[in-house]
Amino acid sequence: MKRLLKFLLSTLFFLISFTGLNVLAADSVSYSTHVENIGWQNYFSDGQTAGTTGKALQIEAIKILVNNGSDEVEYSTHVENIGWTAPVKNDNISGTTGKCLQIEAINIKLNGSIAQRCDIYYRTHVADVGWLGWAKNGENAGTAGGAKQMEAIEIVLLPKGNMAPGSTNNAFIDFKNQNSRPSQSGPLKVVGNKLTNQAGIPVQLRGVSTHGLAWFPEYVNQQLFYELHNNWNANVVRLALYTAEYNGYCTGGDQNALKGLVKAGIEFASNADMYVIVDWHVLNDQNPMTYKEQAKQYFNEISSQYKNNSNIIYEICNEPNGGVDWNTIKNYALEVIPVIRANDPDAVIIVGTPTWSQDVDQAVLNPITEYNNIMYAFHFYAATHKDDLRNKLINATNAGLPIFVSEFGVCDASGNGNLDLDSANIWINTLNSNNISYVCWSLCNKPESASLINSNCKKINGFGTEDLTTGGQWLITTLSSPGLPGSSTPTNPVPNTPSTQPTTPSGNLDHSLKLVNEWTSGNSSFYQYDITITNNTSTDISSWEKTIQANQNIKVNNYWNCKIRINDNSLIISNENYNGSLNPGESTTIGLILESNPNLILN
Ligand code: IDC
């Protein structure tokens, strides 16, 4: 009897899994890598990471297959000392084994019917650089000419035309031929009160400021700058060179070392296709006239060396204060601007304004008309500055003054105190809707509220959510959200509405969330949700995609009945091929377990 039951059960199980495979299977890609010192790893699939990170181990060979070999995939690798190898297909080995040769780049494409319904996306993790952007359908991913080993790879199939799983910038870097980079940080100009590209289309720069370079030189590193661009969605980084404080450039600091950091920062930002602000960080010296001669020498050197870079913005005095009036600042500017202009006739130059770069109203009354491409600095700290200062900004913008928020903080003006994220969000909305660029203070782990990195985190790159402060996490969310509507975003375009989204008005494909379980393990909290998707439109749909927002970064621990992509705090859920069609009024429920910091909220 027992045996019979066992037999029946196993038959039933076989039938379920067999039919399940036939009915439930979605398009799927699996891949295995041959790793230095490890050999062939197990197969990973659909976006999982194959290879290793943080271990400095090279991938030497790879095998890829799609739908267990029933569809065709073709791939070629670029191998050290060999170059591009002949393409192979369906689980054949590309690369070498036993020769200790690293793979540096790869391209992968689909053939046949699957190429009609899917895009194949892939991204690589490269030594010294970290994760690059996503390439697709035969584009190259990885590096060339830099002798950099590929250490990990992720591959995923998406319905044709869907948006990429993440940033597509810098999927492939050719170190020998930097000019082959698509120039996303091309020359800018100022038109009326707006920063624009050469075609006159408004551009919005959004990014991060270093802390003082003399305090925190370690955060000027190539991998971090790639990360800022690829993972944080920043398209600008500001290099803050203090003039007076703590071994300041004009008060005993090692000028060559400091200039070296600035130049390295310019190179790293350029490699990562970001704009870079060269900031002369006047603060305790109050009056920019104090070190005017040093400023002229400094800007002369930098602008002559980088006159051909189109991605440099000069900020000639961070925050005049101590009662220094606009006339004084303007006179200073009229001496420094021509020094830069002599080398670089078009670069955008940001001029500080009185009272820690708040009194833009004074510049409105007497702007610099002698030169074009001039902008005016406006700085705020969200926990200190509210409507009054915001009105000053709005009035100056409306009066036609081109304003650049070259520094803001989400804490109070001391760089400490509580964060005020509600206030920060109001500010960001104002900036976005007025085409104003902004840069957040500051990229360091100093134990103060303004810092974006946790003080106990000693890394200098490779930051995960857990390494960032609340302010740091807020910043990534903010930079990853749409900025200025209708502007040309020079880097990291905001994800488009996926093509599979029904064309019915949004809101008609409804979802409801039910937290069914919650537990903690170690430092992580786990949240299990049932998410019910309901077709509340009047038409049949054959596929669906829903974006759900979380209040913090999340990791997917497990999921079922759906496909999942993550874009920072956005969770993009789409149907499997068996639950895509929903008649009007019909629902389907999917399951999901998320790992996050405590207090996760989805909506
Ligand atoms: C602060 C730093 C702090 C440092 C101090 C030096 O956060 O660690 O000790 O400078 O004076 C600004 C300035 C910026 C300030 C920041 C916070 O541009 O240099 O950084 N702030 O006080 N303007 C308003 C606020």
Side-chain angles (χ1 to χ4, degrees):
M1 182 65 191
K2 228 177 173 183
R3 215 183 260 176
L4 181 67
L5 197 65
K6 214 169 158 191
F7 171 75
L8 284 176
L9 274 177
S10 58
T11 314
L12 193 66
F13 179 74
F14 174 76
L15 280 176
I16 290 174
S17 49
F18 183 73
T19 49
L21 266 181
N22 277 330
V23 180
L24 304 186
D27 289 314
S28 167
V29 55
S30 355
Y31 37 99
S32 168
T33 51
H34 188 280
V35 177
E36 172 186 8
N37 299 345
I38 295 180
W40 285 106
Q41 289 185 318
N42 289 340
Y43 279 87
F44 291 94
S45 59
D46 302 323
Q48 292 175 322
T49 307
T52 61
T53 60
K55 297 190 174 154
L57 296 178
Q58 66 194 22
I59 292 181
E60 298 172 355
I62 186 167
K63 300 186 282 191
I64 309 174
L65 88 172
V66 160
N67 291 338
N68 279 323
S70 57
D71 280 292
E72 190 171 298
V73 61
E74 183 177 323
Y75 42 100
S76 167
T77 50
H78 189 281
V79 177
E80 173 186 7
N81 298 344
I82 296 180
W84 284 106
T85 55
V88 300
K89 291 177 185 166
N90 301 349
D91 214 23
N92 279 304
I93 297 175
S94 184
T96 60
T97 59
K99 296 190 177 158
C100 203
L101 295 177
Q102 66 199 22
I103 288 184
E104 296 171 2
I106 186 167
N107 59 54
I108 312 172
K109 67 175 186 172
L110 300 169
N111 291 331
S113 61
I114 192 172
Q116 308 302 313
R117 63 176 188 276
C118 288
D119 291 319
I120 189 161
Y121 276 95
Y122 37 98
R123 65 167 185 164
T124 62
H125 188 280
V126 170
D128 306 327
V129 178
W131 283 107
L132 298 177
W134 291 88
K136 73 167 180 190
N137 301 341
E139 294 167 354
N140 291 342
T143 62
K148 301 220 178 283
Q149 65 193 21
M150 184 184 293
E151 297 174 350
I153 183 166
E154 294 175 350
I155 312 177
V156 71
L157 296 177
L158 291 178
K160 192 102 201 142
N162 255 28
M163 67 180 189
S167 170
T168 54
N169 290 316
N170 285 318
F172 178 69
I173 301 169
D174 184 345
F175 285 97
K176 284 229 178 79
N177 185 10
Q178 280 297 309
N179 294 334
S180 69
R181 282 184 300 121
S183 181
Q184 292 167 315
S185 46
L188 299 172
K189 61 180 180 179
V190 179
V191 178
N193 65 359
K194 290 191 172 28
L195 184 64
T196 77
N197 64 15
Q198 286 306 299
I201 297 172
V203 155
Q204 188 184 31
L205 305 190
R206 304 189 296 163
V208 189
S209 178
T210 65
H211 193 283
L213 295 174
W215 274 281
F216 294 100
E218 64 271 31
Y219 297 108
V220 178
N221 69 77
Q222 181 66 81
Q223 181 168 337
L224 177 55
F225 280 28
Y226 277 123
E227 266 171 67
L228 295 178
H229 178 266
N230 291 347
N231 303 348
W232 295 40
N233 278 302
N235 57 17
V236 61
V237 62
R238 176 187 194 231
L239 304 172
L241 180 70
Y242 276 80
T243 44
E245 287 91 321
Y246 183 77
N247 298 323
Y249 187 84
C250 307
T251 54
D254 179 341
Q255 296 197 345
N256 282 334
L258 289 166
K259 271 189 295 201
L261 276 171
V262 171
K263 291 175 184 178
I266 292 172
E267 304 282 351
F268 296 155
S270 307
N271 290 340
D273 223 350
M274 286 193 289
Y275 290 91
V276 55
I277 300 176
V278 176
D279 162 37
W280 184 253
H281 204 82
V282 170
L283 189 62
N284 273 5
D285 35 344
Q286 300 186 324
N287 188 339
M289 287 294 191
T290 311
Y291 298 117
K292 182 187 71 186
E293 289 311 318
Q294 289 90 330
K296 285 161 75 173
Q297 275 171 23
Y298 172 75
F299 283 112
N300 181 40
E301 178 171 338
I302 301 289
S303 62
S304 67
Q305 185 165 342
Y306 293 102
K307 57 178 176 248
N308 294 325
N309 281 45
S310 59
N311 62 332
I312 301 199
I313 295 171
Y314 296 96
E315 183 176 10
I316 60 175
C317 51
N318 165 51
E319 292 184 353
N321 60 84
V324 173
D325 64 6
W326 170 243
N327 272 336
T328 309
I329 301 168
K330 185 174 171 180
N331 287 336
Y332 164 82
L334 290 176
E335 290 202 47
V336 177
I337 293 169
V339 172
I340 298 171
R341 283 287 184 262
N343 297 317
D344 187 342
D346 301 316
V348 170
I349 298 175
I350 304 170
V351 183
T353 53
T355 319
W356 297 282
S357 285
Q358 294 169 23
D359 290 346
V360 280
D361 49 334
Q362 291 192 32
V364 170
L365 299 175
N366 182 14
I368 296 168
T369 52
E370 290 81 352
Y371 298 96
N372 58 11
N373 294 342
I374 302 296
M375 301 192 83
Y376 300 83
F378 178 88
H379 293 176
F380 67 87
Y381 277 73
T384 305
H385 303 123
K386 306 280 164 74
D387 281 337
D388 282 354
L389 193 61
R390 192 155 41 244
N391 288 334
K392 199 180 257 198
L393 168 76
I394 293 169
N395 291 338
T397 300
N398 290 343
L401 198 75
I403 287 174
F404 198 119
V405 174
S406 49
E407 185 186 303
F408 77 95
V410 294
C411 56
D412 71 33
S414 69
N416 251 314
N418 291 333
L419 304 190
D420 191 339
L421 298 182
D422 289 339
S423 166
N425 288 331
I426 297 173
W427 275 105
I428 294 297
N429 283 338
T430 303
L431 302 180
N432 286 341
S433 54
N434 285 283
N435 196 151
I436 296 172
S437 299
Y438 46 89
V439 174
C440 187
W441 186 262
S442 77
L443 186 61
C444 73
N445 71 347
K446 181 168 175 175
E448 65 177 10
S449 311
S451 301
L452 301 172
I453 300 163
N454 276 329
S455 55
N456 61 6
C457 172
K458 305 300 175 213
K459 298 183 202 169
I460 58 167
N461 53 42
F463 298 117
T465 312
E466 65 283 1
D467 300 321
L468 302 179
T469 59
T470 306
Q473 293 174 33
W474 171 90
L475 182 67
I476 293 190
T477 308
T478 301
L479 298 180
S480 306
S481 310
L484 165 71
S487 80
S488 132
T489 309
T491 61
N492 286 8
V494 170
N496 298 317
T497 312
S499 57
T500 50
Q501 190 93 25
T503 47
T504 46
S506 63
N508 286 348
L509 180 71
D510 293 329
H511 71 275
S512 63
L513 297 160
K514 194 168 148 210
L515 183 63
V516 291
N517 204 352
E518 187 177 347
W519 64 95
T520 51
S521 167
N523 289 334
S524 294
S525 297
F526 292 84
Y527 299 85
Q528 180 179 346
Y529 281 91
D530 277 349
I531 304 181
T532 303
I533 311 280
T534 306
N535 177 6
N536 278 334
T537 71
S538 51
T539 47
D540 293 352
I541 56 173
S542 58
S543 65
W544 49 264
E545 179 156 342
K546 242 349 224 191
T547 300
I548 291 174
Q549 291 296 340
N551 64 333
Q552 51 179 291
N553 276 21
I554 36 180
K555 232 168 100 193
V556 175
N557 175 270
N558 203 350
Y559 62 97
W560 49 96
N561 294 340
C562 62
K563 293 178 180 157
I564 295 251
R565 276 174 293 140
I566 290 209
N567 212 336
D568 291 313
N569 295 13
S570 300
L571 196 66
I572 302 145
I573 303 177
S574 56
N575 60 280
E576 282 282 15
N577 61 0
Y578 55 87
N579 62 0
S581 57
L582 294 176
N583 297 331
E586 203 181 339
S587 298
T588 183
T589 298
I590 65 105
L592 184 65
I593 299 175
L594 300 177
E595 186 183 339
S596 75
N597 290 333
N599 303 322
L600 172 71
I601 302 169
L602 293 188
N603 56 55

